[in-house]
Amino acid sequence: MRSTSILTACALAGVGFLLAASASAPGPITFDEIAQRAGVTFVADSSPTPLKHQPEPMVAGVAVFDYDNDGYPDLYFVNGADMPSLVKTGPKFFNRLYHNNHNLTFTDVTEKAGVAGSGYGMAVAVGDYDNDGHPDLFVANVNGNQLFHNNGDGTFTDVTQKAGVAGAVYYDRKMWSTGAAWIDYNNDGKLDLFVVNYCHWDPDHEPPCEINGHRASCNPRLYKPLPNTLYRNNGDGTFTDVSAVTGISTHLGRGMGVAIADYDNDGFMDIVVANDDAPNELFHNLGGKRFEEVAQDSGVALAEGGNVISGMGVDFRDLFNRGLPDIWITAMEKQTFPLFKNLGHGQFMEVTSPAGLGLSTAEMSGWSNAIADFDNDGWKDLYVARSNVIDNVALFSNRTYEEPSTVFRNLGNGKFQNVTETAGPAFNHPEVYRGAAFGDLDNDGRMDLAVSVLNGTARIFHNTSQNSNHWLLLRLKGTRSNRMAIGAKIHLTTSSGAQLYNHLSTATGYACSSDPRVHFGLGPAPSAREITIDWPSGIHQTLHNVPADRVLDITEPAR
């Protein structure tokens, strides 16, 4: 790995006109499954019972992040637990933290680090909330949520009670949380916390549900929806629930996936929530003071035909290299995986079928998903972790519980192609996939995947795609902005003239947190002619003539 530190900026001389990214002759996108030899033995245990309790199908999230700042991303897996109030005895299940040994192997350091957790886990979100340079962990649970402060010495401290983020109460119960995103919504340089909540579930008063005489998890419509929660960072290790004053808590849903992006380029990050059997939500940030829910007016609340879908995972990134982040959501079979193209001026248009994702996803059930450039051609591709929701679906249908992972190549012309068959035999193997986070685990410039398997061993898909394309990984350090630079927007022009866009966010897919380093595939270009960074503070920084194929450290200038 080569690492270069660039601390200076110069004025923006000009912006080139938009060009299509050119790439070398495409080779297959391929992955090698390495979990066993990498030493990753994690099993996501949901404590399954014959009663099919509502949380059982939904475990759990994954994080790819560098907890010890050694330059290599580590892995954190969220786990279930004994079913609250229902299963009184039995084993305890714990979250696991794996340290990256720099050679595609990992060591379990959970006990030393102190991040085993104590809840029935759902999701994880990574963010440096106190700007000390060490990324912290927020874990969303069915019961009490947890915040682990990174002490900078390889250990974490549970600071949930001090911070005040254990979870809000609604209908006289702590809300069941399924996801979270760190976001500096008011651009004050401190990361705030957005928590996604699912439904009002009482484990002691759960309706029995059946399909064709077989016990199954209930339709979520049998449960009352919940509002989401926004915590403002007070800067002293504590947070204040500002859900009401910012307009977040007036909107109810059954939230699952959450992602952030500045979709209208007004300088403030917005939030999209994929809801299960309820309209999706798009919270437009009104100058860091309030949020306006605009999903219906913007065209992202419903899928084609005005249908509500079982939204699960969501990612919010620019797929068409126009400087406008798009929205891609996963759902159940017969619903497709809707792709909403950002038209600008606050409007989106669903392009699922024209993009080639209609028929190809109609028979799929998807959970976590990711938008990332897996072949470094300059066009971000699509990945989805799949499986059916119902574990005994084969008893009353011709469907199977297990499904293979799927990757769609971005052809650069507005269309996507399912290239899973050539991605490798292990990648094609059906499993009960749930959470999926992406990142470059060995710093070779290719995006890898860490995927949880429900009641099975996790999978690590090492990207082995072979081509001559180049790449850059940007590791940003905020000074006036939040230290992790979450919300920073990057516009890159390659030496061949291609215009590329990305932004920094760790919130991806369903219940997951991905590598905070911002990745760019450069296609055949051996360098970036210009990199422009819009920091959350409002500072603009421009770098010139940056060689490719390296991890690049960039610090926000003072002004």
Side-chain angles (χ1 to χ4, degrees):
M1 177 192 72
R2 290 177 292 170
S3 181
T4 303
S5 180
I6 297 181
L7 305 179
T8 60
C10 55
L12 177 63
V15 178
F17 57 92
L18 183 65
L19 294 174
S22 59
S24 59
I29 297 174
T30 58
F31 295 90
D32 185 16
E33 203 290 301
I34 63 168
Q36 182 175 0
R37 66 176 181 266
V40 176
T41 59
F42 174 78
V43 173
D45 197 326
S46 67
S47 183
T49 72
L51 298 178
K52 312 292 185 187
H53 300 301
Q54 205 66 12
E56 291 180 25
M58 299 174 63
V59 176
V62 185
V64 174
F65 77 120
D66 184 3
Y67 82 92
D68 57 351
N69 290 329
D70 66 353
Y72 283 80
D74 310 296
L75 303 174
Y76 186 75
F77 292 90
V78 178
N79 212 344
D82 293 340
M83 188 59 61
S85 302
L86 289 168
V87 180
K88 306 299 183 181
T89 60
K92 295 289 184 183
F93 316 131
F94 297 110
N95 308 335
R96 309 308 296 179
L97 175 64
Y98 290 89
H99 176 257
N100 191 329
N101 299 324
H102 305 184
N103 59 0
L104 285 179
T105 69
F106 295 81
T107 300
D108 188 333
V109 294
T110 309
E111 277 67 37
K112 175 185 176 182
V115 289
S118 60
Y120 193 100
M122 288 282 133
V124 56
V126 174
D128 182 4
Y129 75 88
D130 58 349
N131 290 328
D132 66 353
H134 306 289
D136 310 299
L137 288 171
F138 176 80
V139 180
N141 295 321
V142 177
N143 45 358
N145 302 327
Q146 291 182 281
L147 177 60
F148 295 100
H149 175 255
N150 190 332
N151 301 319
D153 59 359
T155 68
F156 292 74
T157 300
D158 187 337
V159 295
T160 310
Q161 297 308 315
K162 174 188 175 183
V165 294
V169 174
Y170 202 74
Y171 296 128
D172 299 322
R173 295 188 66 87
K174 182 268 175 185
M175 289 192 284
W176 170 0
S177 301
T178 48
W182 290 99
I183 174 175
D184 184 1
Y185 80 91
N186 53 7
N187 289 344
D188 67 352
K190 301 184 291 289
L191 284 178
D192 312 295
L193 181 62
F194 185 89
V195 180
V196 176
N197 299 307
Y198 187 55
C199 70
H200 181 252
W201 175 71
D202 183 347
D204 294 317
H205 300 89
E206 188 171 29
C209 295
E210 294 184 348
I211 300 177
N212 292 351
H214 300 281
R215 187 67 179 256
S217 298
C218 294
N219 188 303
R221 292 191 181 187
L222 293 179
Y223 299 90
K224 295 176 182 178
L226 296 175
N228 300 307
T229 308
L230 178 63
Y231 295 101
R232 186 187 65 226
N233 190 333
N234 299 324
D236 60 358
T238 69
F239 293 77
T240 297
D241 187 337
V242 294
S243 309
V245 298
T246 57
I248 294 294
S249 63
T250 58
H251 303 279
L252 305 182
R254 301 179 190 89
M256 293 191 67
V258 59
I260 65 170
D262 181 7
Y263 76 89
D264 57 350
N265 286 320
D266 66 353
F268 291 89
M269 299 301 284
D270 310 297
I271 305 168
V272 63
V273 177
N275 280 312
D276 189 1
D277 222 343
N280 302 312
E281 294 166 319
L282 178 59
F283 294 100
H284 178 224
N285 191 333
L286 302 177
K289 295 178 175 62
R290 289 182 55 82
F291 287 86
E292 178 186 17
E293 205 290 297
V294 297
Q296 185 68 42
D297 293 340
S298 298
V300 301
L302 305 171
E304 290 175 320
N307 296 316
V308 169
I309 62 170
S310 300
M312 297 191 188
V314 61
D315 210 348
F316 199 177
R317 295 182 190 272
D318 185 351
L319 277 165
F320 303 102
N321 283 330
R322 298 168 305 121
L324 297 168
D326 311 289
I327 297 172
W328 184 50
I329 298 175
T330 60
M332 291 179 62
E333 70 272 7
K334 304 299 184 184
Q335 297 177 347
T336 75
F337 299 163
L339 174 59
F340 298 98
K341 184 177 183 179
N342 191 333
L343 304 177
H345 308 288
Q347 295 299 303
F348 292 78
M349 176 176 66
E350 185 174 351
V351 295
T352 312
S353 294
L357 296 170
L359 288 176
S360 60
T361 64
E363 297 303 320
M364 298 179 179
S365 291
W367 289 80
S368 196
N369 59 336
I371 297 175
D373 186 355
F374 291 109
D375 55 1
N376 286 331
D377 67 350
W379 296 97
K380 300 181 193 70
D381 310 297
L382 305 174
Y383 166 82
V384 56
R386 294 169 48 199
S387 88
N388 205 278
V389 176
I390 303 171
D391 63 351
N392 55 359
V393 65
L395 295 177
F396 47 82
S397 75
N398 59 359
R399 299 189 179 279
T400 60
Y401 188 32
E402 301 84 0
E403 297 184 24
S405 284
T406 299
V407 61
F408 297 92
R409 166 175 268 148
N410 189 334
L411 301 180
N413 59 1
K415 295 185 179 297
F416 296 81
Q417 179 185 14
N418 186 344
V419 293
T420 307
E421 286 190 4
T422 57
F427 192 83
N428 277 271
H429 184 69
E431 295 277 8
V432 187
Y433 294 113
R434 286 296 182 263
F438 65 88
D440 187 356
L441 298 179
D442 54 349
N443 292 333
D444 67 352
R446 294 173 290 189
M447 290 293 102
D448 310 301
L449 293 158
V451 188
S452 67
V453 175
L454 183 59
N455 300 311
T457 305
R459 298 288 181 255
I460 307 299
F461 293 116
H462 178 232
N463 190 335
T464 56
S465 304
Q466 298 296 314
N467 55 53
S468 58
N469 292 330
H470 298 282
W471 55 276
L472 279 171
L473 266 176
L474 309 184
R475 186 164 52 200
L476 305 187
K477 176 184 175 182
T479 54
R480 290 183 59 186
S481 302
N482 68 85
R483 180 70 174 260
M484 282 186 70
I486 287 177
K489 296 182 289 185
I490 301 97
H491 172 208
L492 186 150
T493 305
T494 71
S495 54
S496 59
Q499 307 285 329
L500 309 175
Y501 299 85
N502 209 339
H503 70 279
L504 200 162
S505 172
T506 60
T508 55
Y510 164 66
C512 289
S513 194
S514 288
D515 193 340
R517 299 176 299 179
V518 185
H519 173 254
F520 285 93
L522 305 184
S527 65
R529 179 187 301 164
E530 187 171 272
I531 301 174
T532 301
I533 304 170
D534 289 326
W535 296 86
S537 65
I539 289 176
H540 301 277
Q541 182 177 12
T542 304
L543 312 175
H544 295 283
N545 301 320
V546 178
D549 304 327
R550 65 191 60 214
V551 179
L552 187 67
D553 289 320
I554 306 175
T555 298
E556 180 182 19
R559 63 180 183 272

